[in-house]
């Protein structure tokens, strides 16, 4: 099945699947997006949907929430503010919600987070049972009384909340935190260089490099294809 074009109830024009050159705000779930998305061909509409939001099936399930049957809604049913069980962030648009009295909620993209991802000999797993503290916030739980999901390295020593990485990216994509090195690879400058500087020596460098590779994997898992992510970020920084 091909999804290169779609009609969507949320927009009057036919949408095309493109690789966005700049980060976009999804008009479905209202979250930030990079790379592949459905875009209205009429520029004046400035309308985008995450691929996941444009193709969201009317119901779904998740292995972490086995007893929940999730239904798609274009906005939160009821009056209460909702938080995503996976990333802990507010829900402001499209969502999946289960029918339990204390309902679970998921952003459409969070319902589709990859279970694992590997590259350069490193592998990360999506987990809802964190044993180690998140390297970003130094805690096991995230705010809003939500436990939140994490990506954990195969050795178990490196752990990042989806929430923390998502928030850091949203805050930093405009402020020069991302740079390109000579090989056109995404550099996440903060933690790795700090760590290498503090520890020094070969083992410090190895550890910093491992951390950097894992962080890159986590960013790719949450936001999709890293190559697209890089060019998007560069484009955004040049504007
Ligand atoms: Zn979306
Ligand atoms: Zn349009
Ligand atoms: Zn439920
Ligand atoms: Zn979420
Ligand atoms: Zn965290």
């Amino acid at each position: 099945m091909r999804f290169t074009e779609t009609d969507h109830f949320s927009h009057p024009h036919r949408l095309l699947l493109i690789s966005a050159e700049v980060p976009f705000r999804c008009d479905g779930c209202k979250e930030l997006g990079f790379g592949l998305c459905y875009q209205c061909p009429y520029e004046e509409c400035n309308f985008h949907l995450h691929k996941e939001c444009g193709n969201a099936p009317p119901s779904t399930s998740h292995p972490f929430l086995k007893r929940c049957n999730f239904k798609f809604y274009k906005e939160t049913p009821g009056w209460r503010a909702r938080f995503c069980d996976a990333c802990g962030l507010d829900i402001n648009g499209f969502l999946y919600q289960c029918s339990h009295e204390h309902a679970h909620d998921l952003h459409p993209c969070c319902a589709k987070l990859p279970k694992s991802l590997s590259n350069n000999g490193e592998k990360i797993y999506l987990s809802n049972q964190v044993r180690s503290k998140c390297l970003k916030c130094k805690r096991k739980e995230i705010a809003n009384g939500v436990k939140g999901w994490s990506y954990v390295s195969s050795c178990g020593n490196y752990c990042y909340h989806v929430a923390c990485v998502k928030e850091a990216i949203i805050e930093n994509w405009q402020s020069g935190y991302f740079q390109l090195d000579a090989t056109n690879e995404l550099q996440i400058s903060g933690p790795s260089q700090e760590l290498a500087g503090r520890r020094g020596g070969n083992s410090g460098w190895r550890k910093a490099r491992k951390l950097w590779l894992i962080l890159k994997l986590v960013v790719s898992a949450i936001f999709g294809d890293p190559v697209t992510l890089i060019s998007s970020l560069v484009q955004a920084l040049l504007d």
Side-chain angles (χ1 to χ4, degrees):
M1 192 157 29
R2 289 181 60 197
F3 292 111
T4 50
E5 275 184 30
T6 192
D7 286 316
H8 198 268
F9 69 84
S10 63
H11 197 72
H13 308 129
R14 177 150 264 244
L15 305 175
L16 302 178
L17 186 65
I18 58 133
S19 183
E21 283 169 3
V22 291
F24 59 90
R25 182 70 61 180
C26 173
D27 288 286
C29 68
K30 317 293 183 200
E31 297 288 300
L32 192 69
F34 297 96
L36 274 188
C37 73
Y38 286 108
Q39 186 184 47
C40 176
Y42 301 106
E43 223 170 273
E44 58 273 26
C45 287
N46 190 24
F47 185 90
H48 301 84
L49 289 177
H50 286 118
K51 192 162 168 265
E52 290 79 5
C53 288
N55 289 331
S59 65
T60 192
S61 59
H62 199 282
F64 289 171
L65 296 159
K66 281 202 178 71
R67 291 181 306 167
C68 300
N69 290 309
F70 285 99
K71 274 210 176 83
F72 177 84
Y73 296 92
K74 56 183 198 274
E75 53 196 19
T76 42
W79 52 271
R80 223 186 291 191
R82 308 297 310 184
F83 302 102
C84 173
D85 279 75
C87 75
L89 300 179
D90 301 13
I91 290 183
N92 298 306
F94 290 4
L95 78 154
Y96 282 103
Q97 190 175 83
C98 77
S99 51
H100 287 127
E101 197 187 333
H102 297 287
H104 293 280
D105 306 82
L106 292 173
H107 291 118
C109 292
C110 290
K112 289 264 175 268
L113 285 169
K115 309 291 176 295
S116 69
L117 197 65
S118 57
N119 195 18
N120 288 312
E122 301 293 346
K123 190 164 186 180
I124 55 165
Y125 296 90
L126 185 64
S127 168
N128 60 343
Q129 312 274 343
V130 278
R131 284 146 296 165
S132 36
K133 289 181 182 163
C134 166
L135 289 169
K136 181 83 172 65
C137 69
K138 320 283 188 228
R139 289 179 300 164
K140 287 191 181 177
E141 300 202 344
I142 54 172
N144 302 326
V146 181
K147 233 168 144 195
W149 299 353
S150 304
Y151 276 104
V152 188
S153 63
S154 43
C155 64
N157 296 331
Y158 298 85
C159 172
Y160 285 100
H161 288 129
V162 172
C164 290
V165 173
K166 228 175 134 176
E167 272 183 331
I169 297 287
I170 293 166
E171 282 166 19
N172 289 305
W173 70 268
Q174 285 171 310
S175 55
Y177 204 56
F178 296 93
Q179 295 154 9
L180 278 187
D181 69 8
T183 58
N184 262 14
E185 280 207 65
L186 175 65
Q187 291 252 354
I188 300 168
S189 52
S192 57
Q193 280 164 17
E194 240 175 63
L195 202 89
R198 235 185 10 240
R199 303 256 167 90
N202 256 342
S203 72
W205 184 83
R206 268 202 305 276
K207 217 166 172 179
R209 183 179 146 76
K210 181 165 173 135
L211 180 66
W212 176 64
L213 288 172
I214 286 166
L215 191 52
K216 270 207 317 186
L217 272 179
V218 177
V219 172
S220 308
I222 299 174
F223 288 105
D225 179 11
V227 179
T228 319
L229 174 65
I230 297 158
S231 53
S232 306
L233 284 163
V234 173
Q235 194 62 47
L237 292 169
L238 291 175
D239 282 347

mmCIF file of all heavy atoms in Angstrom, residues 65 67-70 98-104, ligand 3:
data_model
loop_
_atom_site.group_PDB
_atom_site.id
_atom_site.type_symbol
_atom_site.label_atom_id
_atom_site.label_comp_id
_atom_site.label_asym_id
_atom_site.label_seq_id
_atom_site.Cartn_x
_atom_site.Cartn_y
_atom_site.Cartn_z
ATOM 1 N N LEU A 65 0.445 -1.215 27.261
ATOM 2 C CA LEU A 65 -0.858 -0.982 27.883
ATOM 3 C C LEU A 65 -1.823 -2.017 27.313
ATOM 4 O O LEU A 65 -2.770 -1.695 26.595
ATOM 5 C CB LEU A 65 -1.317 0.455 27.601
ATOM 6 C CG LEU A 65 -0.420 1.546 28.212
ATOM 7 C CD1 LEU A 65 -0.606 2.886 27.505
ATOM 8 C CD2 LEU A 65 -0.689 1.706 29.698
ATOM 9 N N ARG A 67 -4.203 -3.916 28.302
ATOM 10 C CA ARG A 67 -5.638 -4.010 28.558
ATOM 11 C C ARG A 67 -6.424 -2.827 27.999
ATOM 12 O O ARG A 67 -7.625 -2.723 28.199
ATOM 13 C CB ARG A 67 -5.894 -4.159 30.054
ATOM 14 C CG ARG A 67 -5.408 -5.541 30.561
ATOM 15 C CD ARG A 67 -5.690 -5.696 32.027
ATOM 16 N NE ARG A 67 -5.116 -4.584 32.792
ATOM 17 C CZ ARG A 67 -5.408 -4.323 34.050
ATOM 18 N NH1 ARG A 67 -6.279 -5.051 34.694
ATOM 19 N NH2 ARG A 67 -4.815 -3.315 34.670
ATOM 20 N N CYS A 68 -5.735 -1.923 27.340
ATOM 21 C CA CYS A 68 -6.395 -0.721 26.813
ATOM 22 C C CYS A 68 -6.720 -0.879 25.328
ATOM 23 O O CYS A 68 -5.880 -1.324 24.549
ATOM 24 C CB CYS A 68 -5.489 0.492 26.975
ATOM 25 S SG CYS A 68 -5.051 0.839 28.675
ATOM 26 N N ASN A 69 -7.933 -0.492 24.985
ATOM 27 C CA ASN A 69 -8.292 -0.349 23.579
ATOM 28 C C ASN A 69 -8.337 1.134 23.269
ATOM 29 O O ASN A 69 -9.173 1.844 23.829
ATOM 30 C CB ASN A 69 -9.656 -0.964 23.293
ATOM 31 C CG ASN A 69 -9.594 -2.464 23.398
ATOM 32 O OD1 ASN A 69 -8.727 -3.086 22.795
ATOM 33 N ND2 ASN A 69 -10.493 -3.041 24.183
ATOM 34 N N PHE A 70 -7.437 1.565 22.443
ATOM 35 C CA PHE A 70 -7.337 3.001 22.174
ATOM 36 C C PHE A 70 -8.188 3.386 20.980
ATOM 37 O O PHE A 70 -8.152 2.735 19.932
ATOM 38 C CB PHE A 70 -5.884 3.381 21.906
ATOM 39 C CG PHE A 70 -5.044 3.408 23.146
ATOM 40 C CD1 PHE A 70 -4.224 2.339 23.476
ATOM 41 C CD2 PHE A 70 -5.073 4.506 23.990
ATOM 42 C CE1 PHE A 70 -3.451 2.367 24.622
ATOM 43 C CE2 PHE A 70 -4.305 4.543 25.137
ATOM 44 C CZ PHE A 70 -3.493 3.466 25.461
ATOM 45 N N CYS A 98 -8.039 5.510 25.796
ATOM 46 C CA CYS A 98 -8.701 4.229 26.052
ATOM 47 C C CYS A 98 -10.004 4.472 26.796
ATOM 48 O O CYS A 98 -10.288 5.582 27.239
ATOM 49 C CB CYS A 98 -7.778 3.291 26.831
ATOM 50 S SG CYS A 98 -7.667 3.690 28.578
ATOM 51 N N SER A 99 -10.792 3.415 26.963
ATOM 52 C CA SER A 99 -12.133 3.569 27.532
ATOM 53 C C SER A 99 -12.165 3.342 29.038
ATOM 54 O O SER A 99 -13.218 3.390 29.647
ATOM 55 C CB SER A 99 -13.093 2.608 26.825
ATOM 56 O OG SER A 99 -12.530 1.302 26.849
ATOM 57 N N HIS A 100 -11.005 3.089 29.666
ATOM 58 C CA HIS A 100 -10.994 2.905 31.117
ATOM 59 C C HIS A 100 -11.410 4.183 31.838
ATOM 60 O O HIS A 100 -11.255 5.284 31.298
ATOM 61 C CB HIS A 100 -9.590 2.502 31.584
ATOM 62 C CG HIS A 100 -9.242 1.100 31.229
ATOM 63 N ND1 HIS A 100 -8.089 0.768 30.553
ATOM 64 C CD2 HIS A 100 -9.902 -0.059 31.442
ATOM 65 C CE1 HIS A 100 -8.052 -0.539 30.377
ATOM 66 N NE2 HIS A 100 -9.145 -1.068 30.899
ATOM 67 N N GLU A 101 -11.898 4.015 33.081
ATOM 68 C CA GLU A 101 -12.344 5.178 33.841
ATOM 69 C C GLU A 101 -11.175 6.154 34.037
ATOM 70 O O GLU A 101 -11.319 7.354 33.846
ATOM 71 C CB GLU A 101 -12.907 4.720 35.186
ATOM 72 C CG GLU A 101 -13.739 5.812 35.820
ATOM 73 C CD GLU A 101 -14.167 5.449 37.223
ATOM 74 O OE1 GLU A 101 -14.279 4.245 37.528
ATOM 75 O OE2 GLU A 101 -14.389 6.393 38.016
ATOM 76 N N HIS A 102 -10.029 5.634 34.451
ATOM 77 C CA HIS A 102 -8.823 6.466 34.494
ATOM 78 C C HIS A 102 -8.086 6.242 33.186
ATOM 79 O O HIS A 102 -7.202 5.398 33.086
ATOM 80 C CB HIS A 102 -7.948 6.105 35.687
ATOM 81 C CG HIS A 102 -8.642 6.361 36.988
ATOM 82 N ND1 HIS A 102 -8.844 7.641 37.466
ATOM 83 C CD2 HIS A 102 -9.217 5.529 37.880
ATOM 84 C CE1 HIS A 102 -9.501 7.571 38.619
ATOM 85 N NE2 HIS A 102 -9.742 6.307 38.893
ATOM 86 N N ALA A 103 -8.524 7.003 32.203
ATOM 87 C CA ALA A 103 -8.126 6.706 30.829
ATOM 88 C C ALA A 103 -6.642 6.986 30.579
ATOM 89 O O ALA A 103 -6.062 7.885 31.175
ATOM 90 C CB ALA A 103 -8.975 7.515 29.873
ATOM 91 N N HIS A 104 -6.051 6.195 29.718
ATOM 92 C CA HIS A 104 -4.707 6.447 29.222
ATOM 93 C C HIS A 104 -4.812 7.224 27.916
ATOM 94 O O HIS A 104 -5.753 7.036 27.151
ATOM 95 C CB HIS A 104 -3.989 5.125 28.948
ATOM 96 C CG HIS A 104 -3.716 4.345 30.191
ATOM 97 N ND1 HIS A 104 -2.670 4.626 31.025
ATOM 98 C CD2 HIS A 104 -4.356 3.292 30.734
ATOM 99 C CE1 HIS A 104 -2.678 3.781 32.040
ATOM 100 N NE2 HIS A 104 -3.699 2.966 31.892
HETATM 101 ZN ZN1 LIG B 3 -6.795 1.920 29.577
#
